[in-house]
Amino acid sequence: MSTFKDKIDLTRLPRHIAIIMDGNGRWAKERGYDRIFGHQNGVTSVREVTEAAAETGIQYLTLYAFSTENWARPQQEVNALMELLVDTIENETPTLNKNNVRLKAIGDLSRLPEGAGIKLQRCIAETSKNNGLTLVLALSYSSRWEINNAIKLLCNDVKSSKISINDISDETISNYLTTREIPDPDLMIRTSGEIRISNFLLWQIAYTELYFTNTHWPDFRKENFYEAIVDYQSRERRFGK
């Protein structure tokens, strides 16, 4: 039986795939549980998709794990999410090393609880020498925060004469973003049927192909991931030309 994985052209893979992992709460509500139950089950999807990306040969995978807006959620849910984050990072570090996956993080990481921040940085350090897939966690991240922060840094450097205002270009601005060492996404996936970007990588997705699926994140598996890649490969990218 043919699968979507069999249909993938390995010579035309997207270099970078970004995912808005949506639907954990709805998935849990449909089953009569609270939202955190959905987040807990979403960890399995993170593991599956990371494995699929590594096995396929994707170079960068960015997961929108926690937005700056998510801090406004009920404190109980935020605390549970942070605890889940810390436990997952700690538990998955050996697997990341086994699969040659390097972990990075983008966002306003200073807002993370001290314990979560320490364990995150420890995992980043312990996987830093891996040269396979780079897994990027967007934590306490929003694109408007990132652009606002970049403007402040850029203005400060102009003020101190480190850079001339006449030398500012698209490339200059990109170098002040938290993603400066990461290529722009070729493909962005959003699960759970919502058709919007939700303040995610707005500068970086100028020419990114978008893929929306009705599947809730806890049900998203390797074959769903492969299907998105096959759909991407069916498109002609023009980059505005």
Side-chain angles (χ1 to χ4, degrees), residues 54-82:
E55 292 167 0
T56 308
I58 304 299
Q59 296 181 39
Y60 292 86
L61 175 67
T62 298
L63 303 178
Y64 202 6
F66 194 90
S67 73
T68 54
E69 291 86 353
N70 288 158
W71 290 114
R73 289 185 176 183
Q75 192 61 47
Q76 183 179 2
E77 182 179 355
V78 171
N79 291 343
L81 274 169
M82 287 298 117

Side-chain angles (χ1 to χ4, degrees), residues 9-238:
D9 181 350
L10 297 178
T11 67
R12 295 192 302 113
L13 289 172
R15 185 182 182 193
H16 179 186
I17 297 177
I19 304 180
I20 301 174
M21 305 180 293
D22 194 19
N24 289 339
R26 273 164 283 174
W27 183 90
K29 187 177 180 180
E30 288 172 2
R31 288 158 178 76
Y33 294 98
D34 59 14
R35 294 174 58 85
I36 194 60
F37 180 74
H39 297 310
Q40 291 167 341
N41 280 272
V43 172
T44 302
S45 299
V46 170
R47 187 180 299 117
E48 285 245 340
V49 167
T50 302
E51 288 180 359
E55 292 167 0
T56 308
I58 304 299
Q59 296 181 39
Y60 292 86
L61 175 67
T62 298
L63 303 178
Y64 202 6
F66 194 90
S67 73
T68 54
E69 291 86 353
N70 288 158
W71 290 114
R73 289 185 176 183
Q75 192 61 47
Q76 183 179 2
E77 182 179 355
V78 171
N79 291 343
L81 274 169
M82 287 298 117
E83 184 178 349
L84 180 62
L85 169 67
V86 169
D87 290 345
T88 300
I89 288 172
E90 196 165 52
N91 293 337
E92 294 298 323
T93 300
T95 304
L96 294 177
N97 279 323
K98 179 183 176 182
N99 293 327
N100 197 28
V101 176
R102 177 179 60 163
L103 183 70
K104 293 179 72 71
I106 58 173
D108 187 4
L109 304 182
S110 64
R111 295 187 66 179
L112 296 178
E114 183 179 3
I118 290 172
K119 291 187 178 181
L120 174 64
Q121 293 303 326
R122 185 184 301 153
C123 183
I124 289 173
E126 290 181 9
T127 63
S128 62
K129 294 183 179 179
N130 296 336
N131 58 10
L133 170 71
T134 297
L135 174 63
V136 184
L137 294 182
L139 293 167
S140 188
Y141 173 91
S142 76
S143 201
R144 288 187 174 182
W145 165 83
E146 179 183 42
I147 293 170
N148 184 299
N149 185 63
I151 291 171
K152 290 176 182 176
L153 295 173
L154 183 53
C155 288
N156 191 55
D157 282 354
V158 170
K159 185 178 179 180
S160 60
S161 300
K162 290 182 180 179
I163 185 173
S164 166
I165 194 169
N166 295 320
D167 293 333
I168 296 174
S169 64
D170 287 358
E171 183 179 359
T172 307
I173 295 170
S174 293
N175 287 333
Y176 280 84
L177 300 174
T178 61
T179 55
R180 54 188 167 273
E181 298 176 352
I182 303 166
D184 291 344
D186 300 294
L187 170 64
M188 178 179 285
I189 300 168
R190 180 167 187 148
T191 60
S192 202
E194 301 293 348
I195 306 176
R196 55 177 176 267
I197 305 303
S198 295
N199 206 358
F200 186 44
L201 300 176
L202 298 179
W203 175 272
Q204 297 87 342
I205 63 168
Y207 294 105
T208 297
E209 296 295 325
L210 306 179
Y211 178 87
F212 300 98
T213 173
N214 290 325
T215 304
H216 293 323
W217 179 248
D219 288 329
F220 197 86
R221 292 293 182 267
K222 289 184 178 182
E223 192 66 4
N224 301 99
F225 183 72
Y226 299 141
E227 182 178 6
I229 295 175
V230 170
D231 182 86
Y232 163 85
Q233 291 184 337
S234 71
R235 307 181 188 184
E236 180 184 356
R237 302 187 73 196
R238 300 187 180 89

